[in-house]
Amino acid sequence: MNILVTGGTGYIGSHVVVGLLKSSYNVTIVDSLINSKSSVLENIEKLAGKAPTFYQENLTNFSALEKIFKDNEFDLVIHFAGLKSVSESVEKPIMYYQQNLTGTINLLKCMQEFHVKKIIFSSSATVYGSGNAGECIENMPTGQGITNPYGKTKYMIEEILKDVCTSDPEFSAVALRYFNPVGNHESGLLGEDPNGIPNNLMPYIMKVASGKLEELSIYGNDYDTPDGTCRRDFIHVVDLANGHLAAIKALEAPGFKTYNLGTGTPTSVLEMVETFEKISGKPLPHKFVERRPGDLAEIWANPKKAENELGWKANLTIEDAIRDTLSFLENHQ
Ligand code: UFG
């Protein structure tokens, strides 16, 4: 089976590509390398024993994408490519709408033209919006109270996919709603290494642990949670990647489906920091500061639907994620 993976050199995409190649799928990656490095391709090959086909291209370039579809025969698409910084999306909404929405529409137009009718989309827990804090279940309403353009693009793309499924009874789309991905492949060869000052917790912790940033600011310790800091559902990226492989079978039946990919157990920011200190054996300098605007006190997945329908569940722990993060840091000092 030939699979097109957009954004396949990114943090989550690269882990999925390794899983696909190891499961004997043929993989073609289209990635602009805006937010990733071509060296990831060598590491994918090292880990999978096989190389994907690679095109450096942005999905906003319709004619280039059309040519890629013409030159290949894809059976299904896994769509990761997109911009993903919440704060940047607030500053540059047009760039986010253009990249994420135009990119997806171009992809869907090519799929339609070349009769490719199966897609897995990289969605996010952010689609549940601010009205649905706490435990999230797939049948809850989405789209209300999303505070940033990045999150809105995830919601809008889910809606577009729903409409495409309605218009074409043979089309199948699965939106996977990720909670908070952490960790990396245990080899330490793949991982998340953002440029500049990271927004997300784990990348920030990594910069502090490697001495590149002085200390972690924990945003708020006065939330109505057990230790006052926010709680999230941190899921190991290798578990998350396996969720994509499991979702391929859900594409056999046409229609639009969503699945949460999370562990079902929330962990607080402070617990994350303390566990990191325990496993690394070193203190992680941190201080408590004001709350960050837009943060929910707590949000976690109910992952039962994925377990029941896809036979998938998360197996790795926060400790595994931190151990693997430390080996990534060793490889990228
Ligand atoms: N945090 C800190 N200090 C930091 C960074 C984060 O205390 O330097 C805290 C945040 O306040 C939050 C928690 O760590 O309480 C997790 O924050 P992240 O930025 O890592 O993740 P979010 O839960 O805010 O966002 C994640 C994804 C988004 C997605 C969102 C939807 O990064 O892409 O979940 O649930 F939209």
Side-chain angles (χ1 to χ4, degrees):
M1 192 186 281
N2 296 325
I3 304 187
L4 170 63
V5 181
T6 75
T9 57
Y11 171 47
I12 301 172
S14 59
H15 286 89
V16 172
V17 168
V18 168
L20 292 170
L21 289 169
K22 281 188 154 177
S23 304
S24 303
Y25 293 105
N26 296 319
V27 178
T28 299
I29 295 177
V30 174
D31 197 306
S32 66
L33 299 179
I34 286 178
N35 216 0
S36 58
K37 299 185 178 85
S38 59
S39 58
V40 170
L41 292 165
E42 288 148 36
N43 289 332
I44 288 175
E45 189 173 353
K46 255 186 229 165
L47 293 174
K50 204 168 134 190
T53 305
F54 177 69
Y55 294 92
Q56 182 176 355
E57 200 49 75
N58 195 311
L59 301 187
T60 51
N61 184 346
F62 180 74
S63 52
L65 190 62
E66 204 179 24
K67 170 122 181 35
I68 294 170
F69 269 80
K70 195 179 273 170
D71 293 347
N72 293 275
E73 260 184 43
F74 299 125
D75 298 295
L76 72 94
V77 175
I78 306 184
H79 178 33
F80 295 99
L83 299 174
K84 61 166 191 175
S85 160
V86 170
S87 56
E88 187 184 44
S89 78
V90 174
E91 286 157 30
K92 300 175 181 166
I94 298 169
M95 185 169 101
Y96 269 67
Y97 288 122
Q98 178 173 28
Q99 183 63 53
N100 293 5
L101 297 184
T102 308
T104 302
I105 289 167
N106 285 347
L107 181 65
L108 289 168
K109 276 172 73 177
C110 287
M111 289 177 68
Q112 188 176 47
E113 188 180 334
F114 293 93
H115 308 288
V116 182
K117 291 177 182 256
K118 294 185 166 95
I119 186 168
I120 294 175
F121 171 58
S122 165
S123 190
S124 163
T126 197
V127 301
Y128 289 110
S130 56
N132 288 323
E135 184 183 58
C136 293
I137 306 181
E138 289 85 348
N139 60 9
M140 285 175 164
T142 53
Q144 289 303 307
I146 302 175
T147 52
N148 59 83
Y150 155 77
K152 287 179 191 170
T153 65
K154 292 290 178 193
Y155 167 70
M156 289 173 187
I157 292 169
E158 283 201 3
E159 294 300 300
I160 292 169
L161 292 174
K162 248 184 237 175
D163 291 340
V164 173
C165 288
T166 305
S167 75
D168 180 351
E170 288 176 1
F171 200 92
S172 56
V174 169
L176 298 176
R177 296 177 178 161
Y178 310 153
F179 281 70
N180 290 62
V182 288
N184 46 259
H185 190 276
E186 61 181 356
S187 63
L189 289 176
L190 298 177
E192 192 171 27
D193 190 11
N195 295 326
I197 297 179
N199 293 300
N200 296 118
L201 181 64
M202 201 52 155
Y204 205 107
I205 288 179
M206 288 161 73
K207 296 262 184 204
V208 175
S210 58
K212 290 183 184 138
L213 291 171
E214 210 172 304
E215 66 182 340
L216 171 75
S217 294
I218 296 183
Y219 300 127
N221 61 347
D222 56 352
Y223 284 97
D224 186 15
T225 57
D227 64 19
T229 65
C230 293
R231 296 200 301 164
R232 293 288 181 273
D233 189 338
F234 296 101
I235 172 167
H236 196 296
V237 69
V238 170
D239 276 333
L240 193 72
N242 289 334
H244 293 71
L245 271 82
I248 291 175
K249 76 164 185 237
L251 290 169
E252 281 161 21
F256 177 74
K257 297 171 207 76
T258 59
Y259 295 97
N260 287 338
L261 295 185
T263 66
T265 308
T267 302
S268 79
V269 174
L270 192 57
E271 282 169 334
M272 207 57 185
V273 169
E274 288 170 354
T275 312
F276 196 95
E277 290 181 321
K278 198 175 84 199
I279 293 178
S280 68
K282 289 186 203 140
L284 188 89
H286 59 276
K287 63 176 177 195
F288 296 107
V289 300
E290 289 296 294
R291 292 180 178 196
R292 183 171 71 175
D295 273 344
L296 300 175
E298 45 186 14
I299 173 165
W300 68 92
N302 177 319
K304 288 285 171 219
K305 188 178 173 203
E307 189 177 344
N308 294 339
E309 294 184 17
L310 306 178
W312 170 89
K313 81 179 192 260
N315 292 313
L316 299 166
T317 62
I318 303 293
E319 284 80 3
D320 293 322
I322 293 172
R323 225 167 272 128
D324 296 337
T325 298
L326 289 166
S327 79
F328 178 80
L329 278 178
E330 257 171 48
N331 275 313
H332 292 82
Q333 285 295 356

